[in-house]
């Protein structure tokens, strides 16, 4: 028995709950969850999940068929009405229990994330605990999202005979597609709000990260999410993505991933609500009065945490030539003293491999092209398998490939500008618009400058970051559609429905 602040005394999750997930061979073959049962796919086709840490196959997941997708979505559609008619307090209790059991299994889930996606111990643990907190927060915030009552005579030309009762309704069946870099957290940021608002969820996890997501699914199921309300379909985006996003019974898509895939999904999806978090190519603009030592520390954390595989990573740094001259040696120093690259299972290493051989090839290519285009490698630049050194490039210009396309790896570029307007133009000419950070001691000047930048969020004197999770989080241009953040996501995953009462005169 355990005590939970939301639920009082509760049972721990039954020990054998995860038995149904796989065949327990070495490596295990995992089933998918069709909404009722854990089953192998009739396709007979499976996908090996290779650990980026040591190349081991850590498991094999199913590649589901179109008819399995059809029947799972049918179940989700059937289950949704019943789920939404359950009192929201009851739905909240189920979510709180899931959050509790995520915390209870923190060590197992952390170890799974480390081997599956190569996160360092502290980053993986943070992801798991933050996910549990996020579920609790969504469950509580859902209770206070309410509709409204409006009087007709507040609009010119109308009298008091009309009033609208506006309630918030679920959208229906929500398709949730998450990326490899935060497979648990960015799945939870979709599943929890969709469920608390009374939607059912068709969950397509990232292939690399899908095993962690199967564990997550089982936690929600055992916590009480009823049959059909959550289905988890594995298979690569290439194989099953198109069929899923164009399925007639999907009523909304919430997606996090690259801008390229996001754009292709948006083109195909048709007239349904979309909530997309896509790629970022985030700048740090450093003004001459900034605290350079502090700024260098933020740049190193911003550029190299989780090997630069974060949508909010710092990808380039802009400043006047003397500022950049002063900053680069400090950034190099800080990188040497604070980044320890190596096997992420060892707790003292804080930077592991990138996600795959293919990703490492792409990042290496980007570095070599930048060099050929005239950039200087000031630090790093070398690769050993999937391990890419933290890499610092100088003399980069806005036309180079490394500036135009998000490099999802540990690479940061430095650019010298002659005027602030030039920096603003470079940032605003980008195809991306997730976040930008400005370093200055003059916060007023930072705010004025921030207002000129076409991005979703400005960070003054901090690296870009998503949290706290109740702040609005959004990308403009190629970086996203819609707004996330606790109350914003809850609104996006529900819709207003008006009943207009025409009062007798
Ligand atoms: P990705 O390759 O675009 O994949 C994202 C998700 O989409 C995965 O589940 C993937 O499945 C699926 N997918 C791929 N092709 C699809 C298709 N044709 N139809 C439907 N789904 C498809 O991205 P990633 O490499 O996993 O993640 C890194 C990217 O995500 C970066 O660009 C990063 O900036 C972005 N990201 C953005 C945010 C944000 O909040 N803005 C947060 C995190 C990450 P498979 O895994 O099976 O291919």
């Amino acid at each position: 028995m355990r005590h939970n602040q939301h639920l009082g005394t509760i049972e721990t999750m039954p020990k054998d709950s995860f038995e149904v997930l796989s065949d327990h061979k070495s490596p295990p073959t995992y089933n998918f969850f069709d909404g009722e049962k854990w089953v192998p796919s009739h396709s007979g086709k499976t996908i090996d999940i290779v650990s980026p840490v040591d190349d081991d196959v850590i498991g094999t997941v199913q590649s589901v068929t179109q008819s399995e997708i059809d029947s799972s979505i049918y179940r989700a559609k059937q289950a949704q009405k019943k789920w939404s008619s359950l009192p929201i307090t009851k739905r909240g209790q189920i979510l709180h229990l899931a959050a509790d059991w995520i915390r209870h299994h923190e060590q197992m889930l952390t170890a799974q994330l480390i081997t599956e996606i190569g996160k360092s111990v502290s980053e993986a643990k943070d992801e798991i605990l933050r996910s549990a907190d996020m579920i609790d927060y969504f469950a509580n915030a859902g209770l206070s999202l309410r509709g409204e009552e409006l009087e007709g005579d507040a609009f010119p030309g109308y009298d008091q005979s009309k009033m609208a009762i506006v309630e918030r309704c679920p959208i229906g069946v929500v398709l949730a597609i998450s990326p490899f870099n935060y497979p648990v957290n960015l799945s939870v940021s979709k599943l929890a709000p969709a469920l608390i608002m009374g939607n059912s969820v068709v969950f397509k996890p990232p292939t690399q990260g899908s095993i962690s997501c199967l564990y997550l699914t089982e936690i929600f199921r055992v916590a009480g999410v009823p049959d059909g309300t959550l289905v988890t379909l594995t298979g690569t985006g290439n194989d099953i993505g198109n069929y899923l996003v164009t399925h007639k019974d999907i009523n909304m898509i919430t997606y996090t991933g690259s801008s390229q895939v996001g754009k292709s999904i948006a083109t195909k999806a048709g007239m349904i609500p979309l909530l997309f978090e896509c790629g970022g190519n985030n700048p740090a603009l450093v003004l001459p009065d900034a605290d350079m030592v502090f700024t260098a520390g933020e740049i190193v954390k911003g550029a190299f945490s989780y090997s630069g595989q974060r949508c909010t990573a710092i990808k380039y740094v802009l400043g006047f030539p003397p500022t950049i001259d002063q900053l680069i040696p400090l950034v190099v120093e800080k990188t040497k003293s604070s980044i320890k690259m190596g096997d992420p299972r060892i707790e003292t290493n804080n930077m592991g491999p990138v996600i795959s051989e293919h990703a490492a090839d792409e990042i290496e290519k980007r570095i070599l092209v930048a060099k050929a285009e005239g950039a200087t490698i000031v630090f790093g630049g070398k690769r050993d398998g999937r391990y890419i050194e933290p890499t610092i490039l100088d003399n980069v210009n806005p036309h180079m490939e490394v500036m135009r396309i998000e490099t999802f790896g540990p690479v940061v570029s430095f650019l010298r500008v002659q005027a602030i307007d030039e920096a603003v133009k470079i940032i605003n000419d980008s195809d991306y618009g997730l976040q930008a950070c400005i370093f200055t001691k003059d916060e007023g000047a930072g705010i004025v400058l921030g207002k000129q930048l076409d991005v979703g969020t400005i960070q003054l004197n901090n690296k870009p970051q998503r949290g706290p999770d109740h702040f609005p989080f959004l990308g403009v241009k190629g970086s996203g559609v819609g707004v996330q953040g606790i109350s914003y996501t809850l609104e996006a995953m529900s819709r207003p429905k008006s009943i207009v009462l025409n009062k007798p005169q």
Side-chain angles (χ1 to χ4, degrees), residues 145-146 167-172 174 193-194 196-199 252 273 275 487-497:
L145 196 76
R146 48 180 70 92
E167 57 173 346
R168 291 212 76 88
C169 298
I171 289 181
V174 173
I196 193 70
M197 294 319 294
N199 302 285
M252 173 182 183
L275 189 56
S487 61
Y488 304 91
T489 312
L490 291 172
E491 283 193 8
M493 294 204 176
S494 58
R495 63 182 167 78
K497 181 172 184 180

Side-chain angles (χ1 to χ4, degrees), residues 328-381:
I328 287 181
L330 293 171
V331 172
V332 169
E333 234 7 84
K334 190 71 188 171
T335 305
K336 283 184 188 160
S337 65
S338 66
I339 301 294
K340 180 106 174 54
M341 185 170 79
D343 187 328
R345 293 169 297 195
I346 299 167
E347 206 153 354
T348 46
N349 292 331
N350 58 8
M351 194 178 120
V354 296
I355 195 67
S356 64
E357 206 67 30
H358 173 70
D361 290 346
E362 291 297 308
I363 299 161
E364 184 182 37
K365 230 186 284 166
R366 206 62 65 72
I367 297 168
L368 294 176
V369 169
K371 194 172 168 211
E373 287 175 329
T376 317
I377 301 175
V378 179
F379 187 80

Side-chain angles (χ1 to χ4, degrees), residues 151-206:
E151 297 296 337
D153 65 340
F155 197 89
Y158 285 89
D159 58 23
Q160 292 178 353
S161 64
K162 282 182 191 294
M163 79 179 256
I165 302 164
V166 187
E167 57 173 346
R168 291 212 76 88
C169 298
I171 289 181
V173 180
V174 173
L175 171 61
I177 305 177
S178 47
F180 81 80
N181 63 338
Y182 288 86
V184 172
N185 188 258
L186 290 175
S187 299
V188 154
S189 75
K190 298 168 172 46
L191 270 51
L195 290 171
I196 193 70
M197 294 319 294
N199 302 285
S200 56
V201 180
V202 174
F203 176 27
K204 185 313 196 195

Side-chain angles (χ1 to χ4, degrees), residues 84-151:
S84 69
S85 63
L86 204 65
I88 191 166
T89 47
K90 179 70 189 142
R91 298 201 296 268
Q93 280 171 4
I94 292 170
L95 294 191
H96 284 309
L97 192 55
D100 188 84
W101 287 347
I102 287 174
R103 283 189 196 97
H104 184 64
H105 290 290
E106 172 259 306
Q107 280 188 2
M108 180 273 284
L109 292 169
T110 296
Q112 182 61 38
L113 271 190
I114 295 167
T115 43
E116 196 171 4
I117 61 160
K119 253 185 195 173
S120 70
V121 175
S122 71
E123 287 166 332
K125 186 174 173 166
D126 279 358
E127 173 168 351
I128 299 304
L129 294 179
R130 182 179 167 195
S131 301
D133 290 346
M134 191 189 262
I135 296 174
D136 279 335
Y137 208 114
F138 270 123
N140 288 335
L143 299 181
S144 49
L145 196 76
R146 48 180 70 92
E148 57 186 345
E149 181 260 326
L150 299 170
E151 297 296 337

Side-chain angles (χ1 to χ4, degrees), residues 177-182 186 204-208 235-238 241-242 245 255-259 261 264-265 268 277-280 310-311 406 408 434 466 473 479:
I177 305 177
S178 47
F180 81 80
N181 63 338
Y182 288 86
L186 290 175
K204 185 313 196 195
T207 296
Q208 193 78 35
T236 67
N238 274 343
N242 195 42
V245 303
Y255 160 86
T256 305
S258 62
S259 301
V261 171
S264 89
I265 296 176
K268 294 174 214 156
E277 307 173 326
C278 300
R310 293 165 47 250
C311 60
E406 176 189 39
F408 217 50
L434 192 59
R466 187 188 173 103
F473 180 73
S479 291

